[in-house]
Amino acid sequence: QEQLVESGGGLVQAGASLRLSCAASGRTFISYPMGWFRQAPEKEREFVASINWNGGRTHYGDSVKGRFTISRDNSKNTVYLQMDSLKPEDTAVYYCAAERAQQYISSAYYVPKKRESEYDYWGQGTQVTVSS
């Protein structure tokens, strides 16, 4: 059974950093573009970042641009989200997701996907809480 498992969440103070990991099991996702989303209480799920299969192209939501960095290590079947300069408004459950449609698409042709419906596999989420 294919699975995506997030880890690395926790409680930190504003200004701190965290690195989230998303490890795949049951199948390889190295050919899939991957994304990170987040959902705060009583809010809709929000796009955070995406990366194409080889890491050559990344895309960020406006609220995290310049503070968060998405990366991947295909040798470990793992995607990361480095979060710096965290703010209380970053508090949410963070989810990773895999997109089937653009497998092996090169950076030049990759179109970043920002909607939940465009991703096919999801993890269970990891809680990130940022205190002021």
Side-chain angles (χ1 to χ4, degrees):
Q1 179 183 358
E2 50 268 349
Q3 267 191 313
L4 295 172
V5 180
E6 302 93 339
S7 62
L11 171 62
V12 297
Q13 290 192 325
S17 297
L18 276 176
R19 189 176 82 154
L20 305 184
S21 298
C22 171
S25 65
R27 73 181 297 143
T28 178
F29 286 96
I30 65 172
S31 62
Y32 288 63
M34 300 291 292
W36 284 97
F37 288 74
R38 67 186 183 186
Q39 188 165 20
E42 300 182 358
K43 291 191 176 181
E44 292 191 352
R45 197 166 293 191
E46 175 191 15
F47 169 79
V48 174
S50 66
I51 188 167
N52 78 319
W53 80 276
N54 65 0
R57 181 95 181 268
T58 59
H59 188 72
Y60 298 93
D62 289 341
S63 60
V64 306
K65 209 171 289 185
R67 298 188 297 122
F68 290 11
T69 304
I70 188 172
S71 61
R72 65 191 301 160
D73 184 343
N74 283 344
S75 68
K76 297 181 180 178
N77 214 7
T78 300
V79 178
Y80 304 98
L81 184 68
Q82 177 67 40
M83 306 187 296
D84 298 320
S85 302
L86 281 162
K87 304 175 181 180
E89 51 264 43
D90 294 318
T91 295
V93 177
Y94 283 72
Y95 299 89
C96 70
E99 180 207 343
R100 188 189 300 129
Q102 297 189 91
Q103 292 185 65
Y104 289 123
I105 290 289
S106 68
S107 304
Y109 296 102
Y110 169 63
V111 177
K113 303 299 185 182
K114 297 192 286 186
R115 289 182 282 191
E116 284 183 71
S117 60
E118 294 174 310
Y119 289 82
D120 303 281
Y121 301 93
W122 289 85
Q124 294 300 306
T126 185
Q127 176 70 47
V128 171
T129 303
V130 184
S131 64
S132 56

mmCIF file of all heavy atoms in Angstrom, residues 8-18 20 38-41 83 86-94 126-132:
data_model
loop_
_atom_site.group_PDB
_atom_site.id
_atom_site.type_symbol
_atom_site.label_atom_id
_atom_site.label_comp_id
_atom_site.label_asym_id
_atom_site.label_seq_id
_atom_site.Cartn_x
_atom_site.Cartn_y
_atom_site.Cartn_z
ATOM 1 N N GLY A 8 8.335 15.773 11.479
ATOM 2 C CA GLY A 8 9.123 16.968 11.714
ATOM 3 C C GLY A 8 8.350 18.137 12.281
ATOM 4 O O GLY A 8 8.940 19.180 12.587
ATOM 5 N N GLY A 9 7.043 17.993 12.420
ATOM 6 C CA GLY A 9 6.260 19.075 12.990
ATOM 7 C C GLY A 9 6.534 19.237 14.476
ATOM 8 O O GLY A 9 7.213 18.414 15.094
ATOM 9 N N GLY A 10 6.002 20.296 15.043
ATOM 10 C CA GLY A 10 6.190 20.523 16.466
ATOM 11 C C GLY A 10 5.761 21.908 16.873
ATOM 12 O O GLY A 10 5.139 22.637 16.088
ATOM 13 N N LEU A 11 6.097 22.259 18.112
ATOM 14 C CA LEU A 11 5.778 23.567 18.672
ATOM 15 C C LEU A 11 7.054 24.388 18.746
ATOM 16 O O LEU A 11 8.033 23.949 19.371
ATOM 17 C CB LEU A 11 5.179 23.389 20.065
ATOM 18 C CG LEU A 11 4.973 24.656 20.903
ATOM 19 C CD1 LEU A 11 3.999 25.603 20.229
ATOM 20 C CD2 LEU A 11 4.501 24.294 22.312
ATOM 21 N N VAL A 12 7.051 25.542 18.104
ATOM 22 C CA VAL A 12 8.220 26.417 18.111
ATOM 23 C C VAL A 12 7.775 27.849 18.349
ATOM 24 O O VAL A 12 6.594 28.177 18.211
ATOM 25 C CB VAL A 12 9.022 26.336 16.790
ATOM 26 C CG1 VAL A 12 9.588 24.942 16.569
ATOM 27 C CG2 VAL A 12 8.162 26.764 15.622
ATOM 28 N N GLN A 13 8.741 28.706 18.660
ATOM 29 C CA GLN A 13 8.447 30.127 18.823
ATOM 30 C C GLN A 13 8.589 30.853 17.484
ATOM 31 O O GLN A 13 9.293 30.384 16.568
ATOM 32 C CB GLN A 13 9.392 30.743 19.850
ATOM 33 C CG GLN A 13 9.126 30.274 21.268
ATOM 34 C CD GLN A 13 9.878 31.101 22.294
ATOM 35 O OE1 GLN A 13 10.997 31.528 22.037
ATOM 36 N NE2 GLN A 13 9.274 31.322 23.441
ATOM 37 N N ALA A 14 7.945 31.980 17.389
ATOM 38 C CA ALA A 14 8.054 32.803 16.186
ATOM 39 C C ALA A 14 9.522 33.123 15.901
ATOM 40 O O ALA A 14 10.300 33.380 16.823
ATOM 41 C CB ALA A 14 7.264 34.087 16.360
ATOM 42 N N GLY A 15 9.882 33.031 14.630
ATOM 43 C CA GLY A 15 11.259 33.281 14.217
ATOM 44 C C GLY A 15 12.108 32.029 14.097
ATOM 45 O O GLY A 15 13.203 32.068 13.521
ATOM 46 N N ALA A 16 11.625 30.927 14.639
ATOM 47 C CA ALA A 16 12.371 29.670 14.604
ATOM 48 C C ALA A 16 12.235 28.996 13.248
ATOM 49 O O ALA A 16 11.503 29.464 12.362
ATOM 50 C CB ALA A 16 11.882 28.749 15.713
ATOM 51 N N SER A 17 12.931 27.868 13.120
ATOM 52 C CA SER A 17 12.894 27.072 11.891
ATOM 53 C C SER A 17 12.464 25.646 12.198
ATOM 54 O O SER A 17 12.682 25.140 13.307
ATOM 55 C CB SER A 17 14.280 27.043 11.229
ATOM 56 O OG SER A 17 14.675 28.327 10.829
ATOM 57 N N LEU A 18 11.888 25.008 11.203
ATOM 58 C CA LEU A 18 11.553 23.595 11.264
ATOM 59 C C LEU A 18 11.778 23.004 9.879
ATOM 60 O O LEU A 18 11.625 23.715 8.878
ATOM 61 C CB LEU A 18 10.084 23.368 11.644
ATOM 62 C CG LEU A 18 9.662 23.370 13.103
ATOM 63 C CD1 LEU A 18 8.153 23.224 13.200
ATOM 64 C CD2 LEU A 18 10.368 22.289 13.898
ATOM 65 N N LEU A 20 10.286 19.876 7.691
ATOM 66 C CA LEU A 20 9.353 18.769 7.556
ATOM 67 C C LEU A 20 9.884 17.780 6.517
ATOM 68 O O LEU A 20 10.523 18.177 5.544
ATOM 69 C CB LEU A 20 7.975 19.266 7.116
ATOM 70 C CG LEU A 20 7.323 20.343 7.983
ATOM 71 C CD1 LEU A 20 5.920 20.655 7.451
ATOM 72 C CD2 LEU A 20 7.278 19.947 9.435
ATOM 73 N N ARG A 38 -1.196 23.147 3.562
ATOM 74 C CA ARG A 38 -1.441 23.277 4.982
ATOM 75 C C ARG A 38 -2.897 23.662 5.217
ATOM 76 O O ARG A 38 -3.540 24.254 4.349
ATOM 77 C CB ARG A 38 -0.502 24.301 5.613
ATOM 78 C CG ARG A 38 -0.721 25.731 5.165
ATOM 79 C CD ARG A 38 0.361 26.628 5.746
ATOM 80 N NE ARG A 38 0.144 28.031 5.391
ATOM 81 C CZ ARG A 38 1.006 29.008 5.683
ATOM 82 N NH1 ARG A 38 2.137 28.734 6.314
ATOM 83 N NH2 ARG A 38 0.728 30.248 5.330
ATOM 84 N N GLN A 39 -3.366 23.317 6.396
ATOM 85 C CA GLN A 39 -4.736 23.650 6.763
ATOM 86 C C GLN A 39 -4.786 24.085 8.209
ATOM 87 O O GLN A 39 -4.462 23.299 9.113
ATOM 88 C CB GLN A 39 -5.670 22.466 6.531
ATOM 89 C CG GLN A 39 -7.132 22.809 6.704
ATOM 90 C CD GLN A 39 -8.056 21.747 6.135
ATOM 91 O OE1 GLN A 39 -7.682 20.597 5.935
ATOM 92 N NE2 GLN A 39 -9.295 22.147 5.852
ATOM 93 N N ALA A 40 -5.181 25.326 8.408
ATOM 94 C CA ALA A 40 -5.363 25.874 9.752
ATOM 95 C C ALA A 40 -6.802 25.615 10.186
ATOM 96 O O ALA A 40 -7.682 25.399 9.343
ATOM 97 C CB ALA A 40 -5.055 27.362 9.738
ATOM 98 N N PRO A 41 -7.058 25.652 11.496
ATOM 99 C CA PRO A 41 -8.425 25.404 11.979
ATOM 100 C C PRO A 41 -9.429 26.335 11.329
ATOM 101 O O PRO A 41 -9.192 27.541 11.207
ATOM 102 C CB PRO A 41 -8.302 25.679 13.483
ATOM 103 C CG PRO A 41 -6.880 25.407 13.797
ATOM 104 C CD PRO A 41 -6.110 25.853 12.586
ATOM 105 N N MET A 83 11.355 25.341 6.698
ATOM 106 C CA MET A 83 10.549 26.506 7.063
ATOM 107 C C MET A 83 11.359 27.395 7.993
ATOM 108 O O MET A 83 11.707 26.981 9.105
ATOM 109 C CB MET A 83 9.257 26.053 7.749
ATOM 110 C CG MET A 83 8.459 25.049 6.937
ATOM 111 S SD MET A 83 6.853 24.669 7.662
ATOM 112 C CE MET A 83 7.355 23.895 9.188
ATOM 113 N N LEU A 86 9.552 31.431 11.001
ATOM 114 C CA LEU A 86 8.160 31.029 11.186
ATOM 115 C C LEU A 86 7.366 32.098 11.918
ATOM 116 O O LEU A 86 7.887 32.804 12.801
ATOM 117 C CB LEU A 86 8.095 29.704 11.946
ATOM 118 C CG LEU A 86 8.382 28.471 11.074
ATOM 119 C CD1 LEU A 86 8.744 27.274 11.930
ATOM 120 C CD2 LEU A 86 7.195 28.163 10.180
ATOM 121 N N LYS A 87 6.104 32.187 11.542
ATOM 122 C CA LYS A 87 5.181 33.168 12.125
ATOM 123 C C LYS A 87 3.994 32.420 12.739
ATOM 124 O O LYS A 87 3.674 31.301 12.301
ATOM 125 C CB LYS A 87 4.666 34.107 11.032
ATOM 126 C CG LYS A 87 5.741 34.823 10.245
ATOM 127 C CD LYS A 87 5.131 35.636 9.123
ATOM 128 C CE LYS A 87 6.184 36.338 8.292
ATOM 129 N NZ LYS A 87 5.583 37.137 7.192
ATOM 130 N N PRO A 88 3.308 33.039 13.680
ATOM 131 C CA PRO A 88 2.121 32.383 14.250
ATOM 132 C C PRO A 88 1.098 31.983 13.189
ATOM 133 O O PRO A 88 0.423 30.951 13.328
ATOM 134 C CB PRO A 88 1.581 33.438 15.208
ATOM 135 C CG PRO A 88 2.791 34.208 15.631
ATOM 136 C CD PRO A 88 3.652 34.275 14.413
ATOM 137 N N GLU A 89 0.997 32.774 12.135
ATOM 138 C CA GLU A 89 0.027 32.449 11.076
ATOM 139 C C GLU A 89 0.438 31.244 10.234
ATOM 140 O O GLU A 89 -0.324 30.802 9.379
ATOM 141 C CB GLU A 89 -0.227 33.664 10.178
ATOM 142 C CG GLU A 89 1.007 34.326 9.632
ATOM 143 C CD GLU A 89 1.445 35.535 10.487
ATOM 144 O OE1 GLU A 89 1.434 35.434 11.739
ATOM 145 O OE2 GLU A 89 1.844 36.555 9.876
ATOM 146 N N ASP A 90 1.613 30.702 10.453
ATOM 147 C CA ASP A 90 2.024 29.465 9.801
ATOM 148 C C ASP A 90 1.478 28.237 10.529
ATOM 149 O O ASP A 90 1.641 27.110 10.049
ATOM 150 C CB ASP A 90 3.556 29.366 9.727
ATOM 151 C CG ASP A 90 4.171 30.432 8.834
ATOM 152 O OD1 ASP A 90 3.616 30.700 7.754
ATOM 153 O OD2 ASP A 90 5.216 30.977 9.231
ATOM 154 N N THR A 91 0.865 28.450 11.683
ATOM 155 C CA THR A 91 0.306 27.340 12.446
ATOM 156 C C THR A 91 -0.762 26.621 11.634
ATOM 157 O O THR A 91 -1.714 27.235 11.157
ATOM 158 C CB THR A 91 -0.293 27.850 13.766
ATOM 159 O OG1 THR A 91 0.758 28.368 14.580
ATOM 160 C CG2 THR A 91 -1.010 26.733 14.514
ATOM 161 N N ALA A 92 -0.581 25.316 11.472
ATOM 162 C CA ALA A 92 -1.498 24.515 10.643
ATOM 163 C C ALA A 92 -1.050 23.064 10.681
ATOM 164 O O ALA A 92 0.047 22.744 11.162
ATOM 165 C CB ALA A 92 -1.492 25.017 9.201
ATOM 166 N N VAL A 93 -1.893 22.208 10.134
ATOM 167 C CA VAL A 93 -1.475 20.843 9.823
ATOM 168 C C VAL A 93 -0.915 20.873 8.404
ATOM 169 O O VAL A 93 -1.563 21.388 7.494
ATOM 170 C CB VAL A 93 -2.641 19.851 9.914
ATOM 171 C CG1 VAL A 93 -2.182 18.450 9.510
ATOM 172 C CG2 VAL A 93 -3.212 19.842 11.334
ATOM 173 N N TYR A 94 0.285 20.335 8.244
ATOM 174 C CA TYR A 94 0.963 20.348 6.949
ATOM 175 C C TYR A 94 0.880 18.967 6.313
ATOM 176 O O TYR A 94 1.165 17.950 6.964
ATOM 177 C CB TYR A 94 2.423 20.761 7.128
ATOM 178 C CG TYR A 94 2.576 22.247 7.336
ATOM 179 C CD1 TYR A 94 2.181 22.850 8.533
ATOM 180 C CD2 TYR A 94 3.084 23.069 6.330
ATOM 181 C CE1 TYR A 94 2.294 24.213 8.719
ATOM 182 C CE2 TYR A 94 3.198 24.432 6.505
ATOM 183 C CZ TYR A 94 2.795 25.000 7.703
ATOM 184 O OH TYR A 94 2.910 26.362 7.878
ATOM 185 N N THR A 126 1.154 16.583 9.513
ATOM 186 C CA THR A 126 1.934 16.798 10.729
ATOM 187 C C THR A 126 1.634 18.206 11.231
ATOM 188 O O THR A 126 1.552 19.153 10.454
ATOM 189 C CB THR A 126 3.441 16.595 10.473
ATOM 190 O OG1 THR A 126 4.164 16.703 11.708
ATOM 191 C CG2 THR A 126 4.019 17.601 9.484
ATOM 192 N N GLN A 127 1.443 18.321 12.541
ATOM 193 C CA GLN A 127 1.036 19.599 13.137
ATOM 194 C C GLN A 127 2.248 20.502 13.339
ATOM 195 O O GLN A 127 3.265 20.077 13.902
ATOM 196 C CB GLN A 127 0.349 19.359 14.475
ATOM 197 C CG GLN A 127 -0.020 20.627 15.230
ATOM 198 C CD GLN A 127 -1.159 21.390 14.571
ATOM 199 O OE1 GLN A 127 -2.182 20.804 14.202
ATOM 200 N NE2 GLN A 127 -1.003 22.706 14.440
ATOM 201 N N VAL A 128 2.107 21.739 12.906
ATOM 202 C CA VAL A 128 3.101 22.775 13.177
ATOM 203 C C VAL A 128 2.399 23.888 13.948
ATOM 204 O O VAL A 128 1.374 24.403 13.496
ATOM 205 C CB VAL A 128 3.712 23.336 11.880
ATOM 206 C CG1 VAL A 128 4.584 24.551 12.179
ATOM 207 C CG2 VAL A 128 4.516 22.255 11.168
ATOM 208 N N THR A 129 2.931 24.217 15.114
ATOM 209 C CA THR A 129 2.367 25.280 15.931
ATOM 210 C C THR A 129 3.455 26.298 16.228
ATOM 211 O O THR A 129 4.524 25.941 16.725
ATOM 212 C CB THR A 129 1.791 24.724 17.246
ATOM 213 O OG1 THR A 129 0.807 23.713 16.955
ATOM 214 C CG2 THR A 129 1.138 25.838 18.050
ATOM 215 N N VAL A 130 3.179 27.557 15.905
ATOM 216 C CA VAL A 130 4.142 28.628 16.115
ATOM 217 C C VAL A 130 3.561 29.591 17.134
ATOM 218 O O VAL A 130 2.502 30.178 16.907
ATOM 219 C CB VAL A 130 4.457 29.363 14.811
ATOM 220 C CG1 VAL A 130 5.536 30.415 15.043
ATOM 221 C CG2 VAL A 130 4.888 28.381 13.727
ATOM 222 N N SER A 131 4.233 29.731 18.254
ATOM 223 C CA SER A 131 3.756 30.628 19.299
ATOM 224 C C SER A 131 4.389 32.007 19.146
ATOM 225 O O SER A 131 5.520 32.139 18.668
ATOM 226 C CB SER A 131 4.076 30.050 20.677
ATOM 227 O OG SER A 131 5.474 29.970 20.857
ATOM 228 N N SER A 132 3.660 33.015 19.594
ATOM 229 C CA SER A 132 4.160 34.396 19.450
ATOM 230 C C SER A 132 4.985 34.821 20.652
ATOM 231 O O SER A 132 5.048 34.135 21.655
ATOM 232 C CB SER A 132 2.976 35.338 19.278
ATOM 233 O OG SER A 132 2.077 35.207 20.350
#
